[in-house]
């Protein structure tokens, strides 16, 4: 049920997003911001018509979603709340978006980082420019922050009244942050902390938790014009680096991939990365069985697959990021680049 | 409660009396030693030594300074830490109840310590930690490994065995170390606590090289307050040191089941302990199946004692080491037992209550603990309290707890469950289960195994982790009505457990300890794991850093490096356009 709700929410969100993108494109074309020969890069309503359906189907038919549904994991509820949050944000309702973000943060701490993309999007929607000196910017930011924090405080106090003690805070958030349970999962950190020298464990726990929250500010600065893509990258980073990742989290950000299908021509390593991801997903249960049940493999085998899978995911996200930035460059500078002497040019990151 | 009020009034006149009595005063402490030899149904011999020191002193008030028979180490311990009852047992081996019958006093494999503290103790956990450390030093055992991860507070199972005013179970602590090994260095301090040491009396038989060559060896120390006399106006302190050992005479006696003291202990008794007021050897010569004598005991006993022990009428041959007649004929006493004809082994009696426990499942992820409790009484049903302590790294799924008797579900009338906290305390499950007559009850619970940090594994991690024995406490109905025993007059082995009424006797059984394997990480890999994981994180950081801090530029062509020039040369040879 929650999966269907998530799919519906994503569908509506992307539909709305498409409208926004289209409007923005039109505005920029009218403002002549685009270079003249980028006609093939502009998204047309025709190809964008089926994207919401593709997104919903991508989510529902993803084997990861099916697996987390069969396992009756609460990840589906997490995904639903985040999907509703995205829907509320894209529709422009600050109140609902704050409430859903508070719910998502209440469940697991990491959606806190989604506050920045949501804020950026809402500012964009209200046509408030992002200047540090602008009063309306700060006013709106304060409003949204207050909304979010108030709903979070309300939810936490509700829990307090239900339980009559504050014990749930160390149990829930302390558990997420301090990683005491080392049950193997698809993330990087269970084996890391299983083999950690006791002296350094606190240091490395802090490092890894900071690693999740750390990418928000630089991404906000770079992607302030494109908050929805920022949200996508942020969700992906959360699901790779959170302390107890599950395949349900991966399903959520993979559902967004059809939205950026127009980036396909700029992706550099998509074939090998999809092969890596598929092979690793297939090898996970095999090596788990060999380690735990057959006893003929070591924990190192499972750990190696974990490493490869996470590298695959990381490279996938950075590939999409690269393609997105490259398309933006082409949009503003023209598709056929020429050098000073008129020959075809190469584009590099410097 | 009245006793505590009366005590301060009694004490000054008592002291005056003792001071006035002078050197001819009655001794305030007494030692009784006893050895019970019982042939077990399967052909083994169980020897139970008991040394009981009773001391009429007021230990908790610390008003004593002169220790005579009572060991000073234990007396100071009781006084300083506010201990009301202390039971410590170090055991090697397992008592096979089905083959050997009900044990007189069983202990689980490893080390077991349970203590009731006085109500005046404010910080019980601190006192418990100090106590386990001090005992670890006294007995040369690693009792200092007792900490909060293997200590529990049972609510129903371990009621006080001595006098008790109230039973607030927060004053009780119970811990078992199943991995503990008992050896000679634990026996030596135990023997040192005896008033005669191992120099005279029954303790001369305690030779380590024979005692540890046995199927079961258990040495225990029990301290408890008892009534001084029938009116129970004052409290005495009782210290019982018990040692139970089971020898397999069948295999060591060239196929014959005859045994003698010399064959078992390689020593014989020469005299009684001069400090003891009573020193006796009891041999169980109860006729089985009401046949005429199957066995013959030499030298012939001076007297025969009949008692009802554990619901059975038993006959004992008594050898009183303090009587002058015993050592008239020979200087040493070597009790021998010969079987006149082989016993019919198909008639082994089964004990009324026995249990077994095992772990099932495959793989290193999940498993199931099953406990089977047998009630072989033909027509009486009785309840039994089951106490299970499971370490925190086996995560129990309590919703899978099932109790099935005769094919139907059996609901316990009392359940106390305390879930575990990771690295802080173990699971505690206590249940009161009614066992119908002539039935088998199966209790199963599933668990999941956790992955521990690599420093939390023992040096031999593939040996497995021990789950300590579960404890079954029951009042088993007895066929024959039992009279109330007077502690001073009757043999020591009949007064171990206080009996509430004559129709049942108290039994405490322990099941087998379990050995469970946990998934292990690779212990040779810490540095490699740290490097590889940090590499993955660095890949992410690196790619994102590149994309965030650099912008796209049109590339200025370079002439190409050496590799490109070489490639161009090769291409020219092949006829392919250059790069």
């Amino acid at each position: 049920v929650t999966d269907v709700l998530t799919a519906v929410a994503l569908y509506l969100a992307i539909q709305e997003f498409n409208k926004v993108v289209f409007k923005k494109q039109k505005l920029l074309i009218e403002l002549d911001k685009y270079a003249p020969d980028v006609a093939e890069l502009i998204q047309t309503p025709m190809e964008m018509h089926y994207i919401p359906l593709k997104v919903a189907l991508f989510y529902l038919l993803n084997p990861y979603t099916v697996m987390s549904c069969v396992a009756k994991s609460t990840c589906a509820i997490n995904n639903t709340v985040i999907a509703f949050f995205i829907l509320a944000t894209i529709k422009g309702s600050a109140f609902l978006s704050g409430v859903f973000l508070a719910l998502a943060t209440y469940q697991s701490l990491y959606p806190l980082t989604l506050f920045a993309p949501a804020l950026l999007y809402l500012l964009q929607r209200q046509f408030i420019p992002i200047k540090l000196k602008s009063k309306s910017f700060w006013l709106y930011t304060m409003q949204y922050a207050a909304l979010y924090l108030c709903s979070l405080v309300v939810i936490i106090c509700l829990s307090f009244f239900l339980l009559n003690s504050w014990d749930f805070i160390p149990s829930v958030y302390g558990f997420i942050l301090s990683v005491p349970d080392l049950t193997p999962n698809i993330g990087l950190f269970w084996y890391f902390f299983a083999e950690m020298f006791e002296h350094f464990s606190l240091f490395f726990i802090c490092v890894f938790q900071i690693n999740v929250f750390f990418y928000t500010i630089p991404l906000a600065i770079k992607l302030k014009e494109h908050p929805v893509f920022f949200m996508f990258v942020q969700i992906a980073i959360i699901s790779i680096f959170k302390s107890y990742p599950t395949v349900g989290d991966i399903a959520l950000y993979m559902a967004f991939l059809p939205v950026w299908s127009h980036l396909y021509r700029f992706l550099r390593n998509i074939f090998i990365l999809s092969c890596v991801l598929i092979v690793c997903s297939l090898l996970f249960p095999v090596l788990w069985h060999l380690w735990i049940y057959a006893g003929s493999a070591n924990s190192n085998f499972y750990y190696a697959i974990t490493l490869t899978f996470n590298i695959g995911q990381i490279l996938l996200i950075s590939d999409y990021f690269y393609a997105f930035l490259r398309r933006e460059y082409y949009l503003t500078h023209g598709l056929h680049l020429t050098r000073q002497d008129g020959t075809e040019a190469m584009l590099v990151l410097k | 409660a009245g006793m505590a009020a009366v005590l301060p009034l009694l004490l000054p006149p008592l002291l005056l009396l003792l001071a006035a009595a002078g050197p001819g005063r009655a001794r305030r402490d007494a030692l009784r030693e006893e050895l019970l030899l019982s042939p077990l149904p399967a052909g083994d011999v169980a020897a139970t030594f008991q040394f009981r020191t009773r001391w009429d002193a007021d230990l908790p008030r610390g008003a004593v300074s002169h220790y005579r028979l009572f060991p000073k180490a234990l007396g100071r311990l009781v006084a300083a830490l506010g201990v009301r009852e202390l039971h410590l047992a170090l055991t090697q081996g397992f008592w096979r109840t089905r083959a050997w019958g009900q044990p007189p006093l069983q202990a689980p494999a490893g080390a077991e310590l349970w203590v009731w503290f006085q109500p005046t103790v404010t910080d019980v956990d601190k006192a418990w930690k100090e106590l386990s450390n001090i005992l670890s030093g006294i007995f040369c055992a690693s009792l200092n490994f007792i900490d909060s991860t293997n200590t529990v507070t049972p609510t129903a199972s371990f009621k006080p065995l001595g006098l008790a005013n109230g039973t607030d179970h927060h004053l009780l602590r119970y811990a078992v170390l199943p991995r503990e090994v008992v050896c000679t260095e634990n026996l030596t301090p135990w023997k040192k606590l005896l008033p005669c040491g191992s120099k005279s009396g029954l303790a001369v038989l305690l030779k380590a090289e024979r005692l540890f060559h046995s199927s079961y060896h258990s040495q225990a120390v029990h301290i408890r307050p008892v009534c001084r006399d029938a009116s129970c106006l004052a409290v005495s302190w009782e210290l019982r040191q018990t040692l139970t050992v089971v020898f397999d005479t069948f295999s060591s006696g060239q196929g014959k089941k005859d045994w003698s003291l010399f064959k078992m202990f390689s020593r014989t008794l020469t005299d009684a302990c001069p400090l003891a007021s009573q020193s006796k050897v009891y041999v169980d010569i109860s006729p089985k199946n009401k046949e005429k004598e199957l066995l013959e005991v030499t030298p012939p006993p001076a007297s025969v004692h009949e008692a009802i022990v554990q619901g059975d009428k038993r006959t004992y041959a008594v050898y009183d080491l303090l009587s002058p007649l015993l050592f008239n004929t020979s200087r040493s006493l070597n009790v021998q037992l010969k079987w006149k004809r082989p016993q019919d082994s198909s008639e082994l009696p089964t004990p009324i209550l026995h249990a077994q426990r095992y772990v099932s499942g495959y793989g290193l992820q999940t498993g199931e603990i099953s406990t089977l409790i047998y009630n072989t009484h033909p027509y009486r049903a009785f309840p039994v309290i089951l106490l299970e302590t499971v370490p925190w790294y086996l995560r129990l799924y309590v919703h899978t707890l099932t109790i099935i008797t005769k094919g139907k579900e059996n609901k316990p009338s009392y359940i106390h469950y305390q879930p575990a906290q990771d690295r802080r305390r173990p699971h505690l499950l206590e249940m009161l289960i009614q066992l119908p007559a002539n039935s088998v009850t199966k209790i199963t619970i599933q668990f999941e195994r956790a992955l521990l940090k690599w420093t939390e594994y023992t040096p031999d991690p593939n040996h497995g982790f021990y789950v300590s024995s579960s404890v079954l406490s029951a009042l088993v109905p007895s066929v024959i009505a039992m009279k109330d025993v007077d502690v001073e007059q009757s043999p020591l082995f009949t007064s171990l457990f206080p009996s509430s009424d004559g129709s049942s006797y108290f039994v405490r059984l322990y099941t087998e300890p379990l050995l469970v394997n946990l998934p292990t990480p690779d212990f040779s890999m810490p540095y490699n794991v740290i490097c590889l994981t940090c590499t993955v994180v660095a890949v992410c950081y690196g790619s994102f850093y590149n994309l965030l801090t650099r912008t796209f530029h049109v590339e200025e062509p370079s002439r190409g490096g050496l590799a490109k020039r070489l490639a161009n040369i090769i291409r020219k040879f092949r006829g392919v356009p250059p790069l």
Side-chain angles (χ1 to χ4, degrees):
Chain A
V1 169
T2 44
D3 283 335
V4 168
L5 277 175
T6 314
V8 164
L10 287 176
Y11 180 87
L12 294 170
I14 300 300
Q15 233 181 11
E16 184 72 26
F17 175 59
N18 274 349
K19 289 192 205 134
V20 168
V21 162
F22 199 58
K23 254 194 273 181
K24 192 167 160 196
Q25 241 177 208
K26 224 163 107 172
L27 182 71
L28 287 173
I29 290 176
E30 282 164 14
L31 290 177
D32 255 345
K33 283 267 179 77
Y34 285 161
D37 53 353
V38 295
E40 60 195 38
L41 281 184
I42 308 258
Q43 292 180 296
T44 59
M46 274 302 286
E47 60 193 38
M48 284 165 59
H49 184 63
Y50 283 110
I51 288 182
L53 190 63
K54 274 197 228 171
V55 166
L57 281 178
F58 236 65
Y59 184 76
L60 283 176
L61 297 179
N62 198 348
Y64 293 140
T65 321
V66 174
M67 276 199 279
S68 68
C69 185
V70 166
K72 297 184 197 159
S73 154
T74 54
C75 191
I77 302 177
N78 266 355
N79 287 355
T80 310
V81 174
I82 295 182
F84 274 110
F85 155 71
I86 295 175
L87 175 63
T89 312
I90 292 187
K91 287 267 186 204
S93 153
F95 173 67
L96 275 179
S97 148
V99 167
F100 279 119
L101 187 62
L103 267 177
T105 312
Y106 169 72
Q107 280 181 329
S108 73
L109 208 48
Y110 298 106
L112 179 64
T113 54
L114 292 173
F115 178 77
L119 180 65
L120 286 172
Y121 183 85
L122 289 167
L123 284 173
Q124 223 182 40
R125 208 183 157 92
Q126 304 281 331
F127 303 111
I128 302 171
I130 302 168
K131 286 201 203 29
L132 279 170
K133 298 214 181 60
S134 148
K135 226 162 97 166
S136 54
F137 163 68
W138 283 111
L139 194 67
Y140 196 79
T141 313
M142 288 300 133
Q143 267 180 338
Y144 187 60
L147 213 66
Y148 167 62
L149 287 170
C150 283
S151 20
L152 192 61
V153 162
V154 163
I155 296 172
I156 290 186
C157 289
L158 260 177
S159 315
F160 171 70
F161 285 126
L162 278 175
L163 274 179
N164 286 327
S165 76
W166 291 107
D167 283 343
F168 73 98
I169 289 188
S171 303
V172 177
Y173 305 116
F175 187 86
I176 293 176
L177 289 175
S178 66
V179 193
D181 177 25
L182 297 172
T183 315
N185 48 51
I186 61 170
L188 293 163
F189 303 136
W190 58 276
Y191 206 53
F192 188 78
F193 289 114
E195 300 268 12
M196 174 57 61
F197 302 104
E198 278 304 310
H199 189 57
F200 296 105
S201 72
L202 183 63
F203 169 69
F204 276 105
I205 287 177
C206 293
V207 166
F208 280 142
Q209 300 297 347
I210 290 175
N211 188 44
V212 181
F213 294 99
F214 165 74
Y215 293 100
T216 312
I217 310 275
L219 280 173
I221 297 173
K222 183 83 180 182
L223 289 173
K224 57 179 181 275
E225 304 297 322
H226 314 283
V228 180
F229 188 75
F230 177 22
M231 208 177 297
F232 163 67
V233 174
Q234 194 60 61
I235 293 180
I237 288 178
I238 291 175
S239 61
I240 297 172
F241 290 114
K242 70 193 285 193
S243 35
Y244 293 102
T246 61
V247 290
D249 303 317
I250 299 174
L252 184 64
Y253 80 78
M254 279 201 175
F256 282 101
L257 293 181
V259 183
W260 323 112
S261 53
H262 56 276
L263 298 173
Y264 182 73
R265 57 186 288 181
F266 300 114
L267 292 171
R268 289 178 297 177
N269 307 320
I270 191 66
F271 174 67
I272 196 166
L273 285 174
S274 48
C275 283
V276 162
L277 288 175
I278 291 175
V279 168
C280 286
S281 317
L282 291 174
L283 278 179
F284 263 123
V286 170
L287 291 172
W288 172 257
H289 180 87
L290 277 179
W291 174 28
I292 297 286
Y293 291 102
S296 51
N298 211 348
S299 52
N300 290 334
F301 291 68
Y302 188 78
Y303 171 63
I305 293 298
T306 306
L307 285 179
T308 328
F309 188 69
N310 281 306
I311 287 210
Q313 282 184 63
I314 289 170
L315 290 176
L316 179 77
I317 299 305
S318 59
D319 211 17
Y320 264 92
F321 195 12
Y322 172 83
F324 189 83
L325 291 177
R326 192 162 167 161
R327 178 175 170 267
E328 292 303 309
Y329 183 82
Y330 278 140
L331 279 177
T332 46
H333 290 92
L335 199 53
H336 302 289
L337 304 162
T338 53
R339 277 187 229 141
Q340 279 132 356
D341 50 358
T343 51
E344 178 122 12
M346 296 272 289
L347 203 57
V348 290
L349 277 175
K350 275 227 197 332
Chain B
M3 227 166 42
V6 160
L7 222 51
L9 290 174
L10 267 185
L11 201 55
L14 208 68
L15 283 174
L16 277 173
L17 204 67
L18 289 166
R25 65 177 186 267
R27 291 214 189 90
R28 292 173 64 212
D29 46 13
L31 168 71
R32 287 172 57 185
E33 53 179 24
E34 174 188 289
L35 165 61
L36 169 67
L37 296 159
S38 31
L40 298 173
D44 312 273
V45 183
T48 309
F49 291 82
Q50 275 205 50
F51 301 89
R52 178 181 179 258
T53 307
R54 207 197 79 179
W55 193 23
D56 304 334
D58 196 5
L59 271 178
R61 283 177 203 257
V64 291
S65 54
H66 180 60
Y67 290 84
R68 196 173 145 260
L69 294 178
F70 202 93
K72 182 173 177 180
L74 295 179
R76 296 253 309 256
L77 193 67
V78 168
L81 290 175
V83 168
R84 192 167 71 194
E85 265 189 50
L86 184 144
H87 303 267
L88 168 68
L90 296 165
T91 314
Q92 179 202 46
F94 180 68
W95 181 278
R96 300 185 199 125
T97 313
R98 201 185 204 138
W100 295 344
Q102 304 275 15
L105 181 67
Q106 194 188 2
E112 184 205 32
L113 175 66
W114 61 279
V115 174
W116 275 94
F117 286 93
Q118 302 277 6
T120 53
V121 175
T122 44
D123 192 350
V124 181
D125 290 316
K126 186 156 156 287
W128 170 253
K129 184 120 189 90
E130 273 187 49
L131 179 70
S132 48
N133 278 308
I134 294 175
L135 285 174
S136 158
I138 295 177
F139 290 99
C140 294
S142 331
L143 298 175
N144 52 330
F145 283 123
I146 292 178
D147 55 10
S148 66
T149 59
N150 42 30
T151 308
V152 290
T153 306
T155 52
S157 291
F158 285 92
K159 293 297 179 201
L161 291 178
L163 289 177
N165 256 345
T167 52
D168 178 11
H169 66 268
H170 292 114
L171 298 169
L172 168 65
R173 293 287 183 273
Y174 172 77
V176 177
L177 293 172
R179 240 190 135 94
E180 192 61 26
V181 170
V182 184
C183 55
T184 315
E185 70 175 20
N186 303 118
L187 182 64
T188 315
W190 188 90
K191 280 198 289 190
K192 267 204 226 162
L193 293 174
L194 296 171
C196 283
S198 51
K199 295 191 180 64
S200 67
L202 293 174
V204 297
L205 294 177
L206 301 175
K207 285 284 164 250
E209 66 269 9
R210 298 297 305 170
L211 281 182
F212 287 102
H213 200 66
S214 57
S215 317
Y216 175 81
H217 170 99
S218 169
Q219 61 198 51
V221 169
H222 305 274
I223 302 177
R224 59 180 179 176
V226 292
C227 285
R228 199 170 291 191
D229 47 23
S231 56
C232 217
L233 286 171
V235 172
S236 305
W237 286 86
E238 180 193 79
L239 164 70
R240 277 191 201 226
Q241 287 182 257
T242 64
L243 192 141
T244 311
V245 60
V246 174
F247 291 103
D248 188 4
T249 53
F250 210 62
S251 62
S252 57
Q254 286 101 30
K256 283 190 285 205
K257 285 195 303 186
D258 306 337
W259 50 264
S260 72
L261 277 185
F262 188 76
K263 269 202 218 159
M264 289 197 296
F265 298 104
S266 73
R267 287 289 300 267
T268 54
L269 294 165
T270 46
D271 60 352
C273 174
L275 297 169
S277 60
Q278 207 184 75
S279 181
K280 291 194 179 157
V281 176
Y282 291 87
V283 182
D284 187 349
I285 51 172
S286 320
K288 309 235 184 324
N289 311 325
K290 299 187 178 47
E291 302 243 354
K292 279 198 306 173
E293 310 96 44
L294 280 175
L295 41 81
E296 182 196 353
V297 182
T298 53
S303 61
V304 164
H305 177 84
E306 287 199 354
I308 300 174
V309 170
Q310 290 183 341
D312 268 339
K313 196 151 178 210
R314 306 247 181 108
T315 316
Y316 297 94
V318 182
Y319 298 90
D320 191 350
L321 290 172
L322 285 172
S323 90
L325 303 164
L326 191 66
F327 294 108
N328 263 353
T329 44
S330 66
R331 278 235 307 261
S332 72
L333 172 67
N334 183 18
V335 178
Q336 282 177 317
L337 187 135
K338 285 200 178 55
W339 292 88
K340 287 209 186 135
R341 55 189 164 86
Q343 197 186 19
D344 204 359
S345 57
S346 62
E347 290 276 332
L348 287 176
T350 47
I352 293 180
L353 176 68
H354 61 279
Q356 64 181 110
R357 190 171 72 152
Y358 54 90
V359 99
S360 52
Y362 66 96
L364 292 176
Q365 193 175 12
T366 51
E368 190 179 71
I369 298 180
S370 308
T371 312
L372 291 168
I373 310 180
Y374 298 85
N375 175 8
T376 55
H377 201 285
Y379 51 85
R380 290 284 298 274
F382 55 90
V384 70
I385 298 182
L386 174 68
L387 170 78
E388 283 219 35
T389 309
V390 178
W392 65 265
Y393 38 83
L394 300 180
R395 301 179 206 268
L396 292 180
Y397 292 134
V398 182
H399 72 281
T400 57
L401 175 68
T402 52
I403 307 173
I404 299 191
T405 310
K406 287 184 180 171
K408 286 192 304 211
E409 203 190 306
N410 185 354
K411 209 156 175 309
S413 37
Y414 170 75
I415 298 189
H416 173 73
Y417 174 65
Q418 200 182 48
Q421 280 183 344
D422 270 13
R423 299 183 179 90
R424 256 185 270 159
R425 61 166 198 233
H427 296 277
L428 171 67
L429 180 61
E430 266 188 287
M431 295 188 287
L432 177 65
I433 306 169
Q434 188 77 12
L435 301 177
N438 213 9
S439 66
V440 179
T441 306
K442 183 167 181 183
I443 302 155
T444 55
I445 186 164
Q446 289 178 4
F447 63 88
E448 187 189 54
R449 304 170 209 227
L451 186 73
L452 303 175
K453 296 189 181 158
W454 70 307
T455 47
E456 290 170 349
Y457 286 88
T458 52
D460 51 349
N462 289 307
H463 177 71
F465 286 78
Y466 282 97
V467 179
S468 49
S469 318
S470 25
V471 186
L472 290 156
S473 321
L475 279 171
V476 179
S478 74
V479 181
I480 309 169
M482 298 185 299
K483 298 193 295 285
D484 223 6
V485 289
D486 178 14
V487 180
E488 299 304 322
Q489 304 302 321
S490 51
L492 289 175
F493 56 85
T494 51
S495 56
L496 270 173
F497 293 112
S499 55
S500 50
D501 60 272
S503 64
S504 54
Y505 59 94
F506 181 74
V507 152
R508 184 171 282 140
L509 286 183
Y510 294 86
T511 59
E512 297 92 330
L514 301 172
L515 196 58
V516 169
N517 264 337
L518 289 183
T520 57
D522 189 350
F523 296 99
S524 60
M525 289 270 289
Y527 182 67
N528 303 355
V529 165
I530 295 174
C531 283
L532 288 169
T533 311
C534 290
T535 306
V536 171
V537 176
V539 162
C540 174
Y541 178 78
S543 350
F544 273 89
Y545 180 81
N546 261 346
L547 291 167
L548 288 169
T549 52
R550 298 187 188 190
T551 49
F552 283 99
H553 291 284
V554 175
E555 184 199 8
E556 295 308 314
S558 63
R559 276 296 307 149
L562 181 66
K564 211 166 173 179
R565 267 183 276 185
L566 274 174
N568 278 338
I569 293 169
I570 297 173
R571 284 188 155 210
K572 220 163 40 174
F573 280 126
R574 283 169 60 195
V576 174
L579 285 167

